[in-house]
Amino acid sequence: MPLDIIVGAQWGDEGKGRITDLLSAEADMVARYSGGDNAGHTVTVDDQLFKLHLIPSGILHPHTTCHLGAGMVVNPARLLEEIDQLDSLGVDVSPTRLKISSAAHIITPAHIALDGARESQRSGDMLGTTRRGIGPAYSDKAARSGLRAGAMRQPEEFASQVQKHMQAAGEVLEKIYSLEPPDPADTASAYCEYAKRLRPYITDVGNLLAQALEEDKVVLAEGAQGTLLDLDHGTYPYVTSSHPTTPGALLGLGVGPKHLRRIIGVTKAFQTRVGSGPFPTEIFDETADRLRGTGENPWDEYGTTTGRPRRVGWLDGVLLRYAVRVNSFTELALTKLDILSGLDPLRLCVAYRHDDDLLSDLPDSPADLSPFTPEYEEHTGWQIDLSQAHYWGDLPPEAQDYVHRVEALTDLKVRLISIGPEREQVIRWDRDL
Ligand code: IMP
């Protein structure tokens, strides 16, 4: 005991990286459980901005060990880039601190090419993927023809597996999509070199975590993406190909539920989405521009991985209640409350209207949200800058009311509130847990 899990409650980009960074200070091990370099976590420490795609944000705390779980898909070239970048900034990323599950799957240039080809073929009906090869790598995994990280322990044999995979995928690229495939032999020899560098990092992550939990170490599971992008429980087909939810965390790390302590749902104080798909509370007016920002600041609403402007809207309480149900959150972390400063009135979606019915919960999965119109409650905004607040009492009454309303809607406590990008710009209610 104990295992704490961080899960995105929306469509990703909720600010999970900084919540992980904060809680990593009190954890022994930090482990990512799903996705790949489609994720992007931005963490600011002492004016230094870190953009992490694969390595858990916990790496910035020197006392932790960090793990890439079995549920992940790993692009080895990108991982090595990230290792080298952190190393050049003086962060210890040696194999004593960083571990890769032997059961994680490996992304190749063929997966990336297929991701792009499938997106282009969907033309008007694109999913808006990050084109990082995520879907095709998980497809190979489900088809039981994927490449697993454990195979990198024998670089030459791994290289021949890669070559065969590249040849097979190359035929699809050529014959179905009329594309020039990447060269199988070149890719195989590059992957042989990646394997030689990465093999010291590969281990049985599930076993390491299980042992640590038995020894009463604190394990923090770091989420990527968010509940509404879950392959089964999100806004299918506009989802990712993994399970960024509480059950996905257990599966993706290879540990059972008996050690669970906190399940922290991270939600922004408003709603954003990158990529296509339904978004009932989306807005397009000047408030949207204000919420999105110009892109000049690292915290503005532009993708960390792709740089795409994010779609923005008001906080959707119906979808948040859904995320609470799917994940069994024990508490919420509310991020970016400071961004709402100066907006008046604030709107909060508390129900959906469908003909004459008012629904506070979804009647079915969130795949088709088109029949619903958001029912908003208006809240008085506040004008003061929140970025200097340290305690709950520093927040203006209007901001406290807004937080209380989110608590009432979800029947959960908001135990962490972020009010700026710096490490210390978080109001904490969770210390006495
Ligand atoms: P994929 O994961 O690249 O296949 O993309 C599938 C969908 O998930 C697209 O709408 C992406 O924009 C979205 N997505 C994937 N990763 C993230 C993330 O880290 N944050 C937000 N959206 C994401």
Side-chain angles (χ1 to χ4, degrees):
M1 291 272 247
L3 171 64
D4 295 338
I5 302 182
I6 293 178
V7 179
Q10 299 169 308
W11 282 290
D13 308 317
E14 298 91 349
K16 296 176 293 297
R18 59 165 327 187
I19 301 295
T20 307
D21 177 59
L22 186 82
L23 299 184
S24 295
E26 296 141 33
D28 299 295
M29 298 170 129
V30 185
R32 247 192 78 182
Y33 50 86
S34 68
D37 63 322
N38 48 350
H41 289 162
T42 310
V43 183
T44 314
V45 185
D46 301 333
D47 290 343
Q48 174 101 51
L49 190 78
F50 293 88
K51 286 193 176 183
L52 301 171
H53 297 278
L54 284 164
I55 298 179
S57 326
I59 201 80
L60 303 175
H61 290 269
H63 70 279
T64 60
T65 53
C66 290
H67 304 77
L68 309 191
M72 288 188 71
V73 285
V74 178
N75 177 332
R78 305 272 306 185
L79 178 59
L80 285 165
E81 261 172 39
E82 219 164 288
I83 289 175
D84 291 341
Q85 191 207 350
L86 286 170
D87 187 50
S88 72
L89 294 168
V91 179
D92 177 5
V93 267
S94 63
T96 47
R97 282 202 71 207
L98 182 66
K99 320 270 178 193
I100 306 167
S101 167
S102 53
H105 276 249
I106 298 297
I107 294 182
T108 68
H111 291 137
I112 295 168
L114 281 168
D115 197 0
R118 287 177 189 162
E119 274 292 84
S120 306
Q121 205 180 47
R122 287 185 196 110
S123 59
D125 200 20
M126 282 187 185
L127 301 182
T129 76
T130 58
R131 298 183 181 233
R132 296 291 159 105
I134 306 297
Y138 279 115
S139 302
D140 278 355
K141 169 176 164 170
R144 292 154 294 177
S145 56
L147 299 158
R148 304 229 294 182
M152 290 202 279
R153 288 180 176 130
Q154 277 90 35
E156 272 78 25
E157 278 172 40
F158 176 64
S160 74
Q161 278 184 29
V162 170
Q163 183 147 351
K164 279 192 203 129
H165 149 85
M166 292 299 294
Q167 277 156 352
E171 282 193 28
V172 177
L173 284 164
E174 243 174 344
K175 292 191 180 142
I176 312 255
Y177 298 103
S178 310
L179 290 173
E180 177 86 24
D183 184 75
D186 287 354
T187 309
S189 71
Y191 272 60
C192 187
E193 294 311 308
Y194 300 151
K196 285 180 190 161
R197 276 196 69 193
L198 288 174
R199 77 181 143 176
Y201 294 88
I202 293 163
T203 188
D204 181 348
V205 163
N207 189 27
L208 278 183
L209 298 179
Q211 275 179 19
L213 288 166
E214 290 302 335
E215 289 163 16
D216 243 13
K217 299 236 165 77
V218 177
V219 175
L220 183 64
E222 169 174 348
Q225 290 83 43
T227 303
L228 301 167
L229 291 173
D230 184 280
L231 182 60
D232 288 320
H233 302 292
T235 48
Y236 191 89
Y238 302 99
V239 292
T240 190
S241 300
S242 65
H243 300 286
T245 38
T246 304
L250 299 176
L251 197 63
L253 296 181
V255 294
K258 81 170 172 177
H259 299 288
L260 272 176
R261 179 176 63 172
R262 300 169 67 182
I263 307 172
I264 303 149
V266 185
T267 176
K268 268 182 206 167
F270 49 100
Q271 201 88 12
T272 65
R273 169 161 214 172
V274 60
S276 324
F279 185 167
T281 60
E282 184 168 15
I283 52 173
F284 303 92
D285 53 10
E286 64 277 9
T287 304
D289 298 336
R290 170 69 173 55
L291 289 173
R292 185 180 300 109
T294 55
E296 281 160 40
N297 304 307
W299 57 86
D300 287 343
E301 297 294 347
Y302 292 77
T304 317
T305 301
T306 58
R308 289 182 287 181
R310 295 182 187 137
R311 300 157 65 194
V312 296
W314 297 111
L315 183 61
D316 188 327
V318 178
L319 291 179
L320 188 56
R321 284 163 64 88
Y322 173 74
V324 172
R325 168 162 80 69
V326 169
N327 293 292
S328 297
F329 293 144
T330 59
E331 63 196 89
L332 292 177
L334 187 69
T335 59
K336 291 195 146 185
L337 188 63
D338 54 307
I339 302 293
L340 297 186
S341 299
L343 292 177
D344 195 11
L346 299 172
R347 302 182 93 192
L348 179 56
C349 167
V350 293
Y352 286 166
R353 187 165 287 286
H354 183 221
D355 300 329
D356 291 336
D357 297 329
L358 206 53
L359 309 166
S360 48
D361 287 301
L362 287 177
D364 197 355
S365 92
D368 184 11
L369 297 174
S370 57
F372 308 117
T373 317
E375 188 75 11
Y376 290 109
E377 227 176 49
E378 291 207 338
H379 287 256
T380 311
W382 55 91
Q383 299 305 320
I384 65 162
D385 172 19
L386 303 186
S387 59
Q388 300 309 314
H390 293 290
Y391 303 102
W392 173 253
D394 297 338
L395 293 179
E398 296 83 1
Q400 293 185 353
D401 286 349
Y402 186 81
V403 175
H404 280 318
R405 189 66 184 112
V406 173
E407 292 185 324
L409 276 174
T410 53
D411 206 15
L412 286 175
K413 289 281 171 223
V414 172
R415 297 213 180 264
L416 297 162
I417 302 171
S418 87
I419 34 86
E422 302 295 334
R423 239 182 200 169
E424 59 279 6
Q425 288 182 300
V426 176
I427 296 171
R428 296 192 65 164
W429 282 79
D430 64 330
R431 296 233 187 244
D432 51 350
L433 283 179

